[in-house]
Amino acid sequence: MDGYVEERRAYVAEIRSSFDEGRSVADRSGRVTQEDPYFSLGVKVRLFLSIVLLCLFLGMKLTGMEIRGYNAADVIDKITENSYTANLQDKIYEAMMPD
């Protein structure tokens, strides 16, 4: 019975360690022993820039500030403008219905 218990513990330890591969692994002291490849420098930079743009937009909306002649309402209009989809639908229609 002791052999089974030891084999089972080794199996459970192996399974647990398989989840730690390729991830940030913190030991009991809280130190990270391996860096997560998902959070590379590019992802960190994009995340930082998106947070800065969000804060800038919120600042524009709350204070009424304009940047290069654009206010928050103009930015919302540009984002919600459906010109790409309309142009795409026109191109598809032209391709399907030759003159």
Side-chain angles (χ1 to χ4, degrees):
M1 187 71 169
D2 289 334
Y4 173 75
V5 172
E6 291 303 320
E7 289 176 8
R8 185 72 179 166
R9 284 184 183 156
Y11 172 74
V12 170
E14 180 182 339
I15 296 298
R16 285 184 181 166
S17 68
S18 70
F19 288 108
D20 294 335
E21 293 176 5
R23 294 184 174 188
S24 294
V25 179
D27 59 9
R28 291 181 187 256
S29 65
R31 290 177 290 156
V32 175
T33 57
Q34 185 180 19
E35 187 172 337
D36 191 352
Y38 178 75
F39 287 108
S40 64
L41 180 61
V43 172
K44 291 176 185 176
V45 169
R46 284 185 279 169
L47 180 64
F48 176 74
L49 289 176
S50 64
I51 291 171
V52 167
L53 286 174
L54 176 67
C55 292
L56 185 64
F57 173 75
L58 289 175
M60 287 174 65
K61 187 159 180 74
L62 294 174
T63 62
M65 178 176 63
E66 288 190 7
I67 297 176
R68 297 186 137 221
Y70 287 103
N71 60 15
D74 295 335
V75 173
I76 292 171
D77 289 341
K78 290 284 185 185
I79 292 172
T80 57
E81 188 176 82
N82 203 8
S83 64
Y84 176 75
T85 305
N87 289 339
L88 182 62
Q89 288 172 349
D90 292 342
K91 296 292 182 184
I92 292 172
Y93 183 75
E94 289 173 5
M96 293 180 72
M97 302 293 187
D99 291 329

